[in-house]
Amino acid sequence: MSTQEQYLITEEPFYKEVSNEVVLYKAAYQRRLPVMLKGPTGCGKTRFVEYMAWKLQKPLITVACNEDMTASDLVGRFLLDKDGTRWQDGPLTVATRLGAICYLDEVVEARQDTTVVIHPLTDHRRVLPLDKKGELVQAHPDFQLVISYNPGYQSLMKDIKQSTKQRFTALDFNYPDEATETNIVAKESELDIEQSAKLVQIAHRARNLKGHGLDEGISTRLLVYAGQLIQAGIEPIEAGKMALVRPLTDDPDIRATLNNAVEMIFG
Ligand SMILES: Nc1ncnc2c1ncn2[C@@H]1O[C@H](COP(=O)(O)OP(=O)(O)O)[C@@H](O)[C@H]1O
Ligand SMILES: [Mg+2]
């Protein structure tokens, strides 16, 4: 298998369009503009990139960012082996050479000194300097950079610099409307529509608590988990508590409120 094939998505990922994001993304890709996907966790950002990579038939290289990540983790490093030192490209460099869509997931997690290595790739230069190796990699014509960003986690300590932000176009993501989300849950968990709709109702109650003791509402991802637990034979109330309440908060009052909603809706 070639490197190119290794990163191609061969089967169509299930993705339900929520707004006009497909057309907008395609236009951005056509001009190879960098794209930032903004939105809460578990609302479909990653699934969307997978879907677009499949649709465009371009390889996709995903990097889950974290605070321990260094620039070398992205661009590459020298390794020692029996013959001496050998350079190994990091995922960003592989994507740059190969012409892949490089998706940096949860980029706020990375330290700002790590994030700046993407700058020269985002403007007209489209280059990646490998300082340690003394090489300037010219991006393949198909290369595109995509990052995801959760505005909810914004804090003064942890935010992307304006100088980074302003190198991207952006798409807003949010939880889908009720009917769409019900369909997604039904499809992803193979639960019937009626029960899926109930799960979505619970999420709507919880999302109203955002800012009133909850940092973030119940994600579509958690709804899918709850559906899968019910499909695995767990009582809906128990499944709701396991997938929709406990992961979200340890605050006893909010838990009680959410447990109540689960019991009312499935009772
Ligand atoms: N628009 C959508 N179409 C299909 N599935 C979706 C959609 N939005 C969310 N999902 C479901 O929610 C899960 C979490 O989505 P994901 O893309 O991983 O979220 P994010 O990257 O925003 O945290 C997916 O695995 C999928 O089951
Ligand atoms: Mg994601």
Side-chain angles (χ1 to χ4, degrees):
M1 204 196 281
S2 71
T3 322
Q4 167 98 15
E5 282 167 30
Q6 186 186 334
Y7 294 108
L8 277 178
I9 294 170
T10 48
E11 256 182 68
E12 176 172 359
F14 167 67
Y15 180 74
K16 242 183 149 33
E17 188 171 14
V18 176
S19 173
N20 57 347
E21 65 270 25
V22 172
V23 163
L24 294 178
Y25 184 97
K26 266 192 183 162
Y29 183 79
Q30 211 173 33
R31 303 313 301 258
R32 305 299 188 267
L33 297 176
V35 177
M36 174 180 347
L37 310 179
K38 301 177 103 165
T41 185
C43 74
K45 300 183 295 297
T46 296
R47 183 62 67 89
F48 175 67
V49 186
E50 290 166 355
Y51 175 72
M52 291 312 301
W54 171 82
K55 222 175 161 60
L56 297 162
Q57 283 299 297
K58 299 297 172 199
L60 174 67
I61 296 181
T62 299
V63 184
C65 300
N66 64 71
E67 56 187 332
D68 297 327
M69 203 171 77
T70 63
S72 299
D73 292 326
L74 280 179
V75 302
R77 55 167 54 87
F78 282 106
L79 299 178
L80 283 171
D81 61 17
K82 57 180 192 320
D83 307 317
T85 56
R86 178 172 61 85
W87 173 264
Q88 187 176 47
D89 281 344
L92 181 63
T93 311
V94 174
T96 306
R97 293 190 204 274
L98 190 67
I101 295 171
C102 187
Y103 179 44
L104 305 179
D105 202 0
E106 303 291 355
V107 79
V108 221
E109 293 297 327
R111 289 195 317 262
Q112 294 184 343
D113 57 317
T114 306
T115 325
V116 294
V117 307
I118 65 181
H119 284 191
L121 276 172
T122 54
D123 54 38
H124 65 279
R125 293 172 285 172
R126 286 174 59 86
V127 291
L128 178 63
L130 308 179
D131 291 339
K132 286 189 184 139
K133 192 170 180 248
E135 183 184 346
L136 191 65
V137 182
Q138 182 66 53
H140 183 288
D142 287 349
F143 170 79
Q144 188 204 21
L145 192 62
V146 180
I147 61 178
S148 77
Y149 173 70
N150 184 341
Y153 295 158
Q154 229 166 341
S155 75
L156 231 51
M157 290 301 294
K158 242 187 190 178
D159 195 6
I160 322 176
K161 288 201 262 200
Q162 274 295 328
S163 62
T164 304
K165 275 186 190 171
Q166 294 212 17
R167 291 168 176 273
F168 287 82
T169 62
L171 292 171
D172 277 333
F173 280 73
N174 216 324
Y175 312 118
D177 64 75
E178 210 163 328
T180 308
E181 193 167 35
T182 300
N183 279 324
I184 292 171
V185 174
K187 168 87 187 177
E188 288 278 288
S189 65
E190 298 178 335
L191 191 67
D192 61 57
I193 288 285
E194 198 185 325
Q195 303 232 76
S196 300
K198 288 186 176 180
L199 290 172
V200 174
Q201 276 177 39
I202 297 169
H204 278 247
R205 301 267 173 104
R207 288 169 194 166
N208 290 331
L209 294 172
K210 190 179 164 192
H212 302 93
L214 268 191
D215 294 336
E216 197 125 312
I218 294 172
S219 65
T220 309
R221 180 189 295 119
L222 288 180
L223 295 178
V224 171
Y225 288 173
Q228 288 171 343
L229 288 171
I230 298 173
Q231 277 302 81
I234 304 297
E235 283 299 317
I237 292 181
E238 200 52 50
K241 289 179 181 174
M242 183 171 173
L244 309 180
V245 181
R246 280 180 216 130
L248 223 55
T249 178
D250 297 307
D251 181 299
D253 286 340
I254 308 236
R255 275 196 176 194
T257 309
L258 291 173
N259 282 336
N260 237 312
V262 172
E263 281 159 12
M264 265 201 11
I265 287 166
F266 278 115

